[in-house]
Amino acid sequence: MRIAVLTISDAGARGERVDTSGEAVVAWAAAHGWPVSARALVPDDALPIAATIQRWCDDDEADLVLTTGGTGLALRDVTPEATRAVLEREAPGIAERIRVTAGATFPRAALSRGVSGTRARTLVINLPGSPGGVRDSLAALEPIVEHAVRVLRGEVTEHREEVS
């Protein structure tokens, strides 16, 4: 599964902050043996966020695009709006799972406005901007994301009960 990582951060884009949340996504991908096919860091600005997601999806550069940052309540947090602008179909259950699972131990996870959905054959998921929030979100995605991507890519066409 090819993963693209888009970090949204004004301070990061200005070179004033190290991209630790993006690094957490890269480490997660490496731990699973999944290549990072694209990576970028943009400011909290809807146009570059939407353009990057759209390009990666339309050019089939990744099976999964994970964004990190810009999902909170601050006025500059526009990642959900930028993402919605380019999604073809939303997948609200994925974002809900992230908030519910992370919220069990970190109640402020409920403040995340992240969205998820698809464009072309790529799954796009917004993650929070903190490394801890990223790790909690990835733990929530762990049991579902690979299957979701396989279904979207047409690799799984039947729904069978899974035996643990």
Side-chain angles (χ1 to χ4, degrees):
M1 178 165 61
R2 300 165 303 144
I3 298 175
V5 181
L6 177 60
T7 301
I8 295 93
S9 168
D10 284 335
R14 290 190 305 263
E16 298 169 2
R17 179 181 298 156
V18 176
D19 180 15
T20 54
S21 60
E23 285 300 318
V25 177
V26 170
W28 177 78
H32 289 84
W34 297 326
V36 173
S37 58
R39 186 167 179 192
L41 192 153
V42 299
D44 289 275
D45 183 324
L47 291 177
I49 297 167
T52 303
I53 294 170
Q54 182 174 345
R55 184 179 73 250
W56 287 346
C57 293
D58 292 355
D59 292 349
D60 195 29
E61 290 190 37
D63 305 307
L64 174 63
V65 172
L66 295 172
T67 73
T68 174
T71 63
L73 298 175
L75 293 178
R76 298 270 310 146
D77 290 338
V78 297
T79 301
E81 291 77 16
T83 302
R84 271 194 193 97
V86 296
L87 290 179
E88 295 169 338
R89 298 183 302 158
E90 284 196 46
I94 296 172
E96 291 166 8
R97 177 177 174 77
I98 290 170
R99 280 187 282 276
V100 168
T101 303
T105 57
F106 186 70
R108 285 186 283 173
L111 301 177
S112 173
R113 300 179 312 106
V115 299
S116 55
T118 63
R119 181 177 178 94
R121 294 170 20 121
T122 302
L123 180 60
V124 180
I125 303 172
N126 296 156
L127 306 178
S130 72
V134 167
R135 284 189 292 275
D136 289 348
S137 298
L138 294 173
L141 293 175
E142 193 85 29
I144 63 168
V145 72
E146 191 169 13
H147 179 75
V149 167
R150 291 182 67 221
V151 169
L152 179 59
R153 305 289 295 178
E155 298 169 12
V156 174
T157 57
E158 296 180 18
H159 299 285
R160 290 184 238 154
E161 291 293 321
E162 293 190 29
V163 179
S164 340

